[in-house]
Amino acid sequence: FRMFQQLFLIMQAFGKAFHIVLLMGLLVLILDYVIAIMLTQAIGHDPTWQGTAEEDKIQMYFGSIPNSMQTLFVIMTLTAWDQVSEVLVTQWPPMIVYASLVLYIMVTSYTMLSLITGIISESLITAQQEYRLRKEKTMEEKKKDISFELRQFLLSDCLEEDKDEHNNVNTNDLKTAMRGDTELLMKLASINIHVTEQAILSLIDKLATNEIVNIDYFVDKLLNLVGVATASSVMDMKYEISKLNLKMDAIMAELKIDPSAATGAGPAPKPAPKPAEVAVSMGMTRSHEKSDRSGQKPKFAD
């Protein structure tokens, strides 16, 4: 089915880019129509072509607006531009004829084709990114559902009587609950976590500390065995920080330490002086300065 997924992405990208391609086609059509009017007036109705050997070809190429548009379309597809140029150079300067043909071909053929190719490619890349994001979102939702079901099974149904207040259980009890659970292995495989029962039991032994395992830690570790390269390490750090916070709370409770003192907040700052006190202090300072200069003691008003 992967082949059909790729085909679906290509069709989806082409469908999104199709309306832009139609607008560009309409732009080329308008450009050809304007140029066809000019060529019909300047070449098709030019009396200098009358009586010449190329008169019939000029009428076939530029005798009317539809004929001129057809000729422009043929030139745009690089089919018979050399034949048209051979007829035109008999009456027009070759430099002007070839320069005009090259400019028209570059604008309508190469540039438009490159733009259409770029638009379709960009649409295909966008469709692939949207498909990948949808798939990742679906996998994340499945992972959350499995995590909730596994926690519900271990905490409420299987190990409710054996866990403590921090959801810690004995490793043997957890191994007993995990043995023979083929449904869990199938659900893990649905989110690209392919493990065996022996691997789960080995994971329990790895996470155990003094024969004790935290259920939340075990579930998060199990569901992040596959994924982002550092997802499992993040789970380790998360629960190490949680354990350290619990230890710090227990030590602070035993020592009866104020949390503000433990965080190093220090004593409360002194209140800011009032404006009147500041003014009096400044007045006193100025009076002392004057007395120092005159040698007299300062006098204060009551």
Side-chain angles (χ1 to χ4, degrees), residues 68-84:
S68 298
M69 292 185 68
Q70 181 180 0
T71 303
L72 291 174
F73 181 78
V74 169
I75 295 174
M76 183 178 62
T77 57
L78 306 178
T79 303
W81 67 271
D82 54 339
Q83 300 177 7
V84 177

Side-chain angles (χ1 to χ4, degrees), residues 246-258:
L246 291 175
K247 290 180 180 179
M248 289 181 62
D249 293 339
I251 294 173
M252 291 171 62
E254 291 178 0
L255 299 177
K256 297 182 180 179
I257 299 177
D258 186 10

Side-chain angles (χ1 to χ4, degrees), residues 30-40 68-69 72 104 108:
I30 294 174
L31 179 64
D32 284 350
Y33 181 74
V34 173
I35 297 177
I37 294 175
M38 298 171 60
L39 292 177
T40 303
S68 298
M69 292 185 68
L72 291 174
Y104 176 77
T108 59

Side-chain angles (χ1 to χ4, degrees), residues 181-201:
D181 194 350
T182 56
E183 184 180 358
L184 174 62
L185 298 179
M186 294 176 61
K187 289 182 179 179
L188 292 175
S190 66
I191 56 175
N192 293 330
I193 299 178
H194 301 280
V195 293
T196 61
E197 180 179 317
Q198 186 61 36
I200 295 177
L201 299 179

Side-chain angles (χ1 to χ4, degrees), residues 198-208 218 221-222 225:
Q198 186 61 36
I200 295 177
L201 299 179
S202 300
L203 178 63
I204 295 174
D205 291 331
K206 182 180 178 181
L207 301 180
F218 166 71
K221 186 75 173 179
L222 180 62
L225 291 176

Side-chain angles (χ1 to χ4, degrees), residues 102-221:
V102 169
L103 180 62
Y104 176 77
I105 291 172
M106 289 180 60
V107 172
T108 59
S109 182
Y110 296 146
T111 304
M112 291 297 177
L113 184 61
S114 300
L115 287 175
I116 292 173
T117 304
I119 290 171
I120 295 177
S121 300
E122 182 182 2
S123 181
L124 179 59
I125 294 173
T126 303
Q128 289 177 342
Q129 292 177 349
E130 292 177 352
Y131 173 76
R132 180 175 55 83
L133 291 176
R134 287 196 305 268
K135 189 175 180 180
E136 290 179 355
K137 185 178 180 180
T138 303
M139 296 291 288
E140 192 66 27
E141 291 176 353
K142 286 184 179 180
K143 185 180 293 187
K144 290 181 180 179
D145 294 338
I146 295 173
S147 175
F148 175 77
E149 292 177 0
L150 185 56
R151 282 188 172 91
Q152 190 73 16
F153 168 71
L154 294 175
L155 296 176
S156 301
D157 301 335
C158 186
L159 301 174
E160 183 177 6
E161 298 179 356
D162 301 325
K163 66 183 179 66
D164 61 6
E165 58 181 358
H166 299 299
N167 295 333
N168 296 323
V169 295
N170 187 273
T171 55
N172 293 327
D173 296 333
L174 184 57
K175 287 181 179 179
T176 304
M178 289 291 99
R179 284 192 177 96
D181 194 350
T182 56
E183 184 180 358
L184 174 62
L185 298 179
M186 294 176 61
K187 289 182 179 179
L188 292 175
S190 66
I191 56 175
N192 293 330
I193 299 178
H194 301 280
V195 293
T196 61
E197 180 179 317
Q198 186 61 36
I200 295 177
L201 299 179
S202 300
L203 178 63
I204 295 174
D205 291 331
K206 182 180 178 181
L207 301 180
T209 303
N210 298 326
E211 300 296 327
I212 298 298
V213 179
N214 184 272
I215 294 179
D216 295 325
Y217 184 20
F218 166 71
V219 173
D220 288 337
K221 186 75 173 179

